[in-house]
Structure formats: structure tokens, C-alpha cells
Amino acid sequence: MPQRDPLREQIIAQYDAMSPQLQQAARYVLEHPDEVALVSMRELARHAAVQPATMTRLAKFLGKQGYDDIREHYVAALRRGSDGFAAKVRQRNEGARASADGNIAAHMLHGLSAQISRLCEPDSLQRLEAIANTLKSVRKVYVLGLRSCHSVAWHFHYVMSLLGDRSVHLDGPAGTGGDALIRATPEDALLVVSVKPYAVATLELTQLAKDKGLTILSITDSEVSPLVGLSDQTIFCPTESDSFFHTLTPALAISEVLCTLLAEDDRPQALDALQRADEHFLSLNTYSSAIPRRE
Amino acid sequence: MPQRDPLREQIIAQYDAMSPQLQQAARYVLEHPDEVALVSMRELARHAAVQPATMTRLAKFLGKQGYDDIREHYVAALRRGSDGFAAKVRQRNEGARASADGNIAAHMLHGLSAQISRLCEPDSLQRLEAIANTLKSVRKVYVLGLRSCHSVAWHFHYVMSLLGDRSVHLDGPAGTGGDALIRATPEDALLVVSVKPYAVATLELTQLAKDKGLTILSITDSEVSPLVGLSDQTIFCPTESDSFFHTLTPALAISEVLCTLLAEDDRPQALDALQRADEHFLSLNTYSSAIPRRE
DNA sequence: ACACAAATGATTCAACTGTTGCATTCATAA
DNA sequence: TTATGAATGCAACAGTTGAATCATTTGTGT
């Protein structure tokens, strides 16, 4: 499928020699080749969060005479790709063959894609927004997810911790995970993630939080999950997959959507918090090279 | 192949009512739809042997507000067409736009769904299978994912740990995460997950593992990720999302697919391992045994 | 601490974009 | 023929494009 693309290869080859801004521009070009052909340089630069001049400089850096040389390349590629439908038919066939060959991976990915897209049903969206609204209004958010759900809970907490200090992750070594609930009040909420089989510790901690008067929000897998009875609000994530295991990809998607809704609620504050996080990590040398700019 | 194109049909329907010049312009547009998206109006007019103004007039004649409406139509068509794989995605996107009155959640979920479905491209599938094959053949799998990628790495390790003891998670308190590499040998592999911005510690540990002769497999976000140069095999996951944050949902999907491929490789053994895990958890009362009755 | 070079941001400019109003041409009917 | 109205060509427009220039910041070696 990947037709040889000399310019693309050239960009990759010279990438390491570029300045940070040039890298950012180059990376965007690599990831959105069609856009280069379809929009103006300035718009491309805006999307890449880069100065327009940087695109020109990228062209010069690659030895081209100007940005138009780059665009011309991608225009030509797009022309070739779209007109001769021989290429397209070939692509289709390859894809079809791959997925028909009893290819587990393709089948599973299709399934995941469908499950996530099914989360767009009105009912789910409504629940998502409702939970997001509750999360906005509370003082602190305690996040609980054990065993397989740890990844989802942790990720939610991690993103939230970049935005402020309202999130507390209920986890820790030596069974101390629930200790943070000591200071919880009825003005707080517990976001709990659990899918079948439901860990006893999760249910117990949830019950404890409920007794303390916290608002219980849950991400779980079924109407008959034991969490439903304990929760004020619930959103359901599909977990069925081709394999022995439950999938947590839809649950993670839900958690990411929640984070986005929360951040979007107060954009300026979110941007401010992220700015501060950036500076923090910069001074700690946490990340390699440049930290991506946000607009 | 010609998907339903309302504008095209409209042009054909109104063709007979057009003046000769308009017909000439319309004819050229019909026969070279890509050109409309790829070149300027004046150039298009030149190729069609028509006055520039005629193109504007054609747009008005079709009830559009201006030429840009026509161009936008063909740009959109080209965007979708070049995706090749995303015939379904197209429908979804249209649906999303219709139902999304600024609905962030729906838009984001649609995007995630599309990204995952794009992983079904032959190139990605091939990389997935290749990595799975390598993973099958090695002695131990060390799993590394820091910061935002922790969730993916941890989840992979968790699932693998249910299947056997071949997986080692490189994480731990007090910066001891890399210590497990002490006993690593060239017969082992490192599965490393990292997306931009790349944590320095991740790159350093990966380099260390590479020096020790391990096979390096990586899940990362770009051809120009610093991991590419360090890795024997790489699979790419999209990370773009509507929000400030990168999304890790596609990366998690990839990791789950890898787990499935590994488990599927030796079904009986996987089932056996799971059986033993079940018994273990049962004796520990880890999971809530019965789903609570409700009426 | 300093100077120096590279990288980046801001400003400016000529060329080009799509659009519009007006002049010209053309076909047709009286 | 001439009058009439549509179709067409032309020229000028405001806005945008990609590029060049200069000022400022940033990083680096001494």
C-alpha cells in the first residue's frame, strides 16, 4: 500500500537535523499530506501551530525552491491516488483480503471502532454530559479503578492532574488505596470504573464513599452491574471483544471524553493549567526536546 | 465507484438550462472534479477555456453563494476518497455533523472510531502481526510506558500477566522502574509505548535495553518519533483529538489487539492459564462472586 | 558573564485570488 | 433595420497568498 514517496522519506531522513519549529511543521506535513494539497500554506501553518514563514523555511531546508514545490508534490500524489481508480480498487482488495483471511486483528479493530461509534447514541451522550456536569460542580473527584480498570482510572486521574488538583487517585501500595477517602466530604464525588468481574474491593470502597455522602458516578459495563445500585449516575461501556478478555478501549474513550468536556468547560483555566504544567516539566527535563505548543 | 454526489447530479440536471459558456465550464467541472479542489479558480477557468467570472456565475446559477461552495464540495469529496478505507467513516462523519449542535462528545467519539478503523489498513495490520510474532518467540517481554502511556503499558502487562509470567512491567516507586532490566537478556524483548512529548526516561531506558541486546518493539505516534530509530519494529497509533490532550484510545486498542493475537496463538494454554487465575482469585475472594440480585 | 550564531517571531510586499460592476457582443423579434 | 435583453468579456476591487526582511529571543561556546 505505501507507494514510494521520496519527499516523505526525505523529510523523515532530515527530520533530526531540523530545528524544533521545523520539526513541528514537518511532522504535521507527514501526518496530513492531503492537507498540504488542499489548503493554503497559512491555514496549514495555523493547523500545525506554526508561523507561516516556517513552512517556507521548511521548503528551503529540504532544498526546494519554495513552498509551492512541496505543495506540488502532494498535489501530484493526490491526483495520482484519486483519478486512476485502479489504485483504489487495489487498496480495497488488499483490505478485503486482509480482513477476510480470518484476520483477527482487523476484525477486532472494526469491532472496537463500531463499539465506540455506538457511544454516540443520544442516551450515552446525555449520560456523558450529565456526568461531566456533575464533575464540574464538585469540590474534589476521587477516582477508583482496580485491576483491569486501573488503566482507565489512572489515565483519567493523570489528565485531570494536569488540569488542577481536584483529582485524587484511590490507589497505592500496601492496600492504602482507600485512605485518601478519609478527607472526603459530601461535596466531593467518586468516579468509579469497574467491569465484570467486579472487584470486591471496588464495591466496598464505593459503598464506603456512598456512606460518607459522596456523589457516586460510575463507568461500568451493564445495567445489572452492582455499581448501578450504588451510583447516582452511570454510563455504560461495551466490553465485548473477540478474545477471552474484555476490552477496555471503549471505557478509556469515555474517560477521555469526560476529560475533554471538563477541560472545554473552562478553556482559559485549562490552558493556564497546562501552561504551568509545561513549564514545570520543562524545568525538570521530563520530556525530550520541545514540548508541543498549544494554541 | 461513483458514490452519490448530489452536486454532480445537480449540475447534470440543470445542464440543459445553462448558457453555452456555463455549459462549457460545467462540463469541465464534471470531467475534472479533482482539479476543482486542487487548482485555483482562475487556473481552472483557463483550462476550461472560460472566463474566470464564468465559474463564479456557474456557482450562482447552481444556487450556491460563491465559487468556494463548489470547491469546498470537491475538496471534501477528495478528502474522503483519499482515505480510501473510510467509506463508512464518511457516513458517520456526515451523521455527526448533522446531529452535532456543537456537541463535543459526539464529535470526539466519531473521531476516535474513525482513527481505530483506520488502523485496519494493510500496513498497520502487517506491523501488528509482525510484532505479535516477535512477541510470541521471545523469552520475556519487558513493558515500558511512562506518564500518559502508563495506562497502555500497564494494561498490556496486566492482561499478559493473566496468561503467564512472561511479562515484566518496568515501573515502580522511587525510580526503581528500570531495575527489572538487570536480568534481561538478548532473548527478551522490550515493548515500549511513548507518544509526543516523549519522556526522557523512556528513551533512556529503551537505549539501555537496546544496548543489552533486547529486541525493541514500540507503539508510538509518528514516523519521526525518537523511538523509531531505537526500535526493531514499530506500530503507529494516531493521537490527535479535539481536545488539548492527545488521545491514547487507539494505542490501547493496539495493545489489546496484540494481547489477543498472543492469546489466540495458543488457545489451550491461554485457557488453562485463565482457569488457574480464576481459581486463584476465587480463593482470595478478589471478585464479587455473584451479581447481586435485584427485582 | 559575555559574545556570537541560530532560531523564531513580526512586519511588509508584490502577486494572485474570487468577486463585482460595467461595457460589449450577440441573437431574436418587431 | 433597430430595439431589447441575455450572454459574454473586461477591468478594477478588496482580501489573501507565499515570500522576503528585519528585530528579537534563544542557545552555546568561550
Side-chain angles (χ1 to χ4, degrees), chain A residues 74-118:
Chain A
Y74 285 105
V75 166
L78 202 52
R79 268 209 188 87
R80 227 169 296 128
S82 69
D83 65 10
F85 42 84
K88 196 170 262 184
V89 171
R90 186 165 44 79
Q91 263 192 353
R92 287 265 162 80
N93 280 346
E94 276 178 36
R97 185 175 312 154
S99 67
D101 259 359
N103 189 320
I104 304 165
H107 189 259
M108 183 165 169
L109 288 168
H110 271 126
L112 288 175
S113 169
Q115 282 174 327
I116 289 180
S117 116
R118 209 166 306 134

Side-chain angles (χ1 to χ4, degrees), chain B residues 12 35 118 123 137 179 191 218 224-225 268 276 281:
Chain B
I12 295 174
E35 296 302 299
R118 211 164 302 140
D123 181 58
S137 69
D179 294 5
L191 178 66
S218 58
V224 293
S225 154
R276 225 167 319 161
F281 292 136

Side-chain angles (χ1 to χ4, degrees), chain A residues 159-176:
Chain A
V159 174
M160 292 303 289
S161 73
L162 294 178
L163 290 175
D165 57 355
R166 290 177 54 229
S167 171
V168 180
H169 187 207
L170 293 179
D171 196 9
T176 62

Side-chain angles (χ1 to χ4, degrees), chain B residues 19-21 51 57:
Chain B
S19 73
Q21 288 294 301
Q51 288 271 340
R57 287 164 181 153

Side-chain angles (χ1 to χ4, degrees), chain A residues 282-294:
Chain A
L282 197 60
S283 73
L284 278 183
N285 245 328
T286 303
Y287 291 117
S288 152
S289 74
I291 292 179
R293 275 188 37 136
R294 346 233 180 206

Side-chain angles (χ1 to χ4, degrees), chain B residues 202-216:
Chain B
T202 300
L203 301 179
E204 289 172 347
L205 272 177
T206 303
Q207 182 66 57
L208 176 66
K210 188 182 172 68
D211 292 343
K212 294 197 73 166
L214 276 74
T215 303
I216 311 292

